[in-house]
Amino acid sequence: MALEKNTEYDISITGTSSDGRGVGHIGGMTVFVSGAVEGDTGRVLITMVKKRFAEGSLTEITAPSPHRIAPECPHFGICGGCQTANAEYPFELEAKANAAVQAMRRIGGFTDFKFDKINGGRSSRYRNKAVYKIDCAKEPVCGFYSEKSHDIVPVGDCLLCDPRDSLIKTAVLKYISESGFGGIKQLFIRRGAKTGQTMAALDVSKRPPRTERLAQLISSADKSVSSVILNFPDGGSETLFGRDFIEDELLGIRFRISCRSFFQVNHEMTERLYSQALEYASLTGSERVLDIYCGIGTISLCAAKAAKHVTGVEIVPEAVENARENARINNIDNAVFYAESAESIVPKLIKAGECPDVVILDPPRKGSDTATLAAILYAAPKRIVYVSCGPATLARDAKILAAGGYSISAAQAFDMFPRTAHVECAILMTK
Ligand code: SAH
């Protein structure tokens, strides 16, 4: 049966896709259904038909899935932030871990892959970072992009974020109304879960007028604000209030985090993930460790306490500055950091004789690359700990490492991003 666009069909949802949509079949065709939960039966409106699959959205539920719940957030389905807030959390966790397992089997060729453990956590108020989009074209609005568009949904209180974010948003909107300045594009808020320090950073098209008023409105709205920063289109920044970084603690180590540096968004889960990654690394004090994609040195410095030496590699210069500073403030002197892309520096380091016993890699969602992976294989470490927020690229890269003689000895999933389709994985590969 050929499916027709803009037409409704009956459907039973029998699976969950890796991006959190329901999956069903009509006449042999796979259909990805937005708004559907595995176990639902209902009607789907087809919005796109491709050769091998179609897409649509659920228009009617005739029998709801036993896993379906009423989303707590009034913006669910309009705001693009969450994908799975309409399912019970334990089901969400199982479904997305299963999607990662399928990726490891299908893309990686690890036919009997499974997780030793799936780690779930608090499913609301877990984010220590939020990026709110701002549109000043008409009445100023602040919120998140709607699903699949750049229209802004004015979200008051996001249930994944800190409720105090609303105080800062209101202050920024008040400044916009007062000043008539239309050049504020985005509000970034990051909070130190352990330290209570808060950074508010605004992306602006040009320097706003009366910046002292802007800083005063924000810092008095939320007393935890310790930094107010402007980021300009040319990459420059200006600190309007407080310091140009905030601090947080992970596994007893203090970290300075500047605005442009990566820092995990979920504190509780990050500590669990790093503890597991370190357990996989099985450091005894004599090892040389190479931490690729090290950010501000979070995993590197946790590892440095238990290793002989750590080398960290990271592409963002500000993050590397933070990493060096973080080593200093924690009195760690056996870690060095390079600000260069992994694909460029890792082959050079290995060629120059760096010979790691343990390689830890934690790349962005697009994964690692062939030059870096080839260099790792050439270095032949005893253990490779791969931390990933993208199961498909983890599977692709692990397949390359497996072809080079490594096999997966242990694997766990960590739910860093509850209520979204994303899941973090950590695997240990050994020769
Ligand atoms: N391990 C760190 C950071 C992980 S996020 C932590 O847990 O905090 C991935 C990091 O890789 C980011 O800091 C990003 O800036 C960096 N990155 C992205 N592409 C890179 C590349 N090609 N080479 C090196 N680092 C890269």
Side-chain angles (χ1 to χ4, degrees), residues 140-336:
V141 287
C142 178
F144 297 119
Y145 284 147
S146 71
E147 210 168 305
K148 290 186 183 155
S149 91
H150 281 190
D151 297 337
I152 296 172
V153 183
V155 173
D157 179 25
C158 169
L159 298 176
L160 305 190
C161 302
D162 192 299
R164 291 169 300 174
D165 286 6
S166 298
L167 303 172
I168 301 178
K169 284 187 280 180
T170 306
V172 172
L173 291 173
K174 180 166 182 201
Y175 168 82
I176 295 169
S177 305
E178 260 182 37
S179 65
F181 180 68
I184 300 180
K185 306 291 173 203
Q186 168 169 304
L187 164 65
F188 166 104
I189 302 174
R190 182 183 270 148
R191 296 173 183 273
K194 273 275 164 66
T195 60
Q197 299 171 13
T198 300
M199 173 183 284
L202 295 161
D203 279 14
V204 289
S205 58
K206 59 176 194 228
R207 196 169 189 281
R210 301 193 58 214
T211 50
E212 64 299 333
R213 173 70 178 154
L214 174 59
Q216 183 252 331
L217 278 171
I218 294 175
S219 57
S220 60
D222 176 352
K223 292 289 182 216
S224 75
V225 170
S226 53
S227 310
V228 179
I229 291 177
L230 295 178
N231 287 324
F232 299 105
D234 65 0
S237 298
E238 181 183 339
T239 305
L240 297 181
F241 173 80
R243 303 185 292 188
D244 59 359
F245 60 84
I246 57 160
E247 293 166 307
D248 204 0
E249 272 177 37
L250 287 167
L251 303 179
I253 298 184
R254 203 159 178 97
F255 291 98
R256 288 188 175 178
I257 316 156
S258 69
C259 184
R260 293 184 202 277
S261 299
F262 175 89
F263 191 72
Q264 293 284 5
V265 301
N266 181 333
H267 189 272
E268 174 202 1
M269 229 6 111
T270 300
E271 288 197 323
R272 283 165 69 182
L273 170 70
Y274 288 1
S275 302
Q276 190 56 49
L278 292 173
E279 203 180 306
Y280 285 164
S282 338
L283 301 172
T284 61
S286 64
E287 295 82 6
R288 294 187 69 83
V289 178
L290 175 59
D291 180 19
I292 312 174
Y293 312 97
C294 70
I296 60 165
T298 42
I299 303 179
S300 316
L301 297 179
C302 293
K305 294 229 161 183
K308 184 167 178 205
H309 186 268
V310 177
T311 300
V313 166
E314 160 64 42
I315 201 168
V316 174
E318 288 92 336
V320 171
E321 273 171 42
N322 286 159
R324 291 179 182 142
E325 182 77 355
N326 289 330
R328 198 184 56 74
I329 62 175
N330 289 285
N331 300 315
I332 292 171
D333 56 11
N334 59 340
V336 296

